[in-house]
Amino acid sequence: MSNTSLQLFASQPPLQPATQRDVWLRRGTVSYPHAPGHWHPVSLSELGNAAARETFTTSTLHFAAAWTDLFRSMIAAGPDLRWLENGPGVGRDARIAYSGLFGRYVARAYLTGNENVRVLVPLDVAKRLLDGTPYSIVKCPPGHGLEADWIGLDGQRRLVIAEAKGSFDKAVRTWSGPDRLPDVLHTAIGQAQRTAVFATSFAGALPAKRWAIASRWANEMNGRCPTVIAWDPDEGPLDDDDYGALARLLHRCDVEGVLKGLGHADAIDTVNAQPPSPRLPGDIWLRVGDRPVDPGFAAVLGPVGIHPLRRNDDLDRVRLIREVTPNVALASLSSHYASTIFRDPLAYGEWASDEAVMPSSGGSDRFMQRAGLTIAWPTPDQDIGLTVE
C-alpha cells in the first residue's frame, strides 16, 4: 500500500485465522452519510457459502471452481482480502466480469451474515415469480438506467432491494472516506432507488430497505486497500400480510433455484407434496469425516462440474473426482428447511431466529450452513460417506 494510502486508512488489519481475511468497511446511511471505516473480518467459508447460493440461483455453475477450494488458489497470503499477483482475469473486460461476479459474492455474504437478510432472489427471477400475483416489480421512474440485482426480505420484516457492485477503481479518498463516496456506489444507489415493488392492495410502492454494496478489489501488485461500502436507505417495515405473502413466494423460489442448481430439480415436486419433515423421499444423510450433515439433497462440486448425489454407488464418482482434483466442495440443502419453507417460512426456526448460522460440531471452519444450505470443504484425509433410507 502506498504511503498516501497508509495515511488515509487506519493501521493494518490484525492477523486473522487462515480462513479469515479483512476488508476496510464503511457502513453509511442517509442520516449518517460521513461514515468512518474500520477493518472488518470476512470469513472465507461465509463467502464460499454465499458464492455457492449465488451460483445455484443464477445458473452460473461453471464458476463453481472459483469457490470450491475456499478461494485459496486466488487469494494472496496475509491478513487482508487480496488477490494473487495482478488479480483474476487478463484485460479490462475480464476484470470487469470478475469484479462483478465477486462483488455479488461479497455483497450476499455481507447482507446475510451481518445485516439479517434472510432471502435474496435475482431480479429477473423475481419478476417471473411475481407475474400473476398481487405483486409486481416496476422501474420507477421508467426509462433509462438499470435496476437492482436482488429482491429479498430481512428478519426485521423489511422488503430488501439490493444492488452489488465490484470495482478495481484506483481512487483513494472516495473509498477511504469519510466524506466522499465512489461513483460506482452512487450508481448502485440509483439502481436500488429506481427498483420498486407494487402491491394491488397498497397505494404506491411498498416500503423497502434499499441496499447498495460496493466492493473494491486489491491485489498483490496494485497495493490498494480492499474495501466494502454498504449503504442502506430504509423506508420502514412491511405490514404482516405483505410480508407473509412475499416470504412464501420468495423462499419457495429460492429453494427451487438451489435444488435445480444442485441437480435435484426432480425433488421440487417431492418437497412441495410432503409436510415439514426432517427426512424426505430421495434425500441422503451426508457425512464428511466424522461430521454428519443434516439430511438433504446433496451434490459434489469442483473444477469438473457438479454431480448430484443420490445413491451409495455415487461415492465411486466422488472418489474419482478427488483423485483428479483435491479442490472439491460438498453442498446439501436441508430437507427440513426446504419442506418447512415451502409450507410456512415464518414458522421455520432458523428464519425466525436472529442466529442464522447453525452451530458447527467440532468448531470446524470448513463447514458453513446458512438458510438450510450446508457447504463443506473436505480436507484430503477426510473420507466421505452417505446413507440412503
Side-chain angles (χ1 to χ4, degrees), residues 39-51:
W39 288 107
H40 172 76
V42 174
S43 162
L44 295 185
S45 55
E46 179 86 56
L47 186 60
N49 189 286

Side-chain angles (χ1 to χ4, degrees), residues 17 61 83 93 97 124 141 143 166 202 225 255 267 271 285 356 359 366 374 378 381:
L61 300 180
W83 303 110
D93 289 345
D124 289 344
F202 190 84
C225 181
V255 166
V271 172
W285 197 306
R366 300 180 72 91
T374 299
D381 60 337

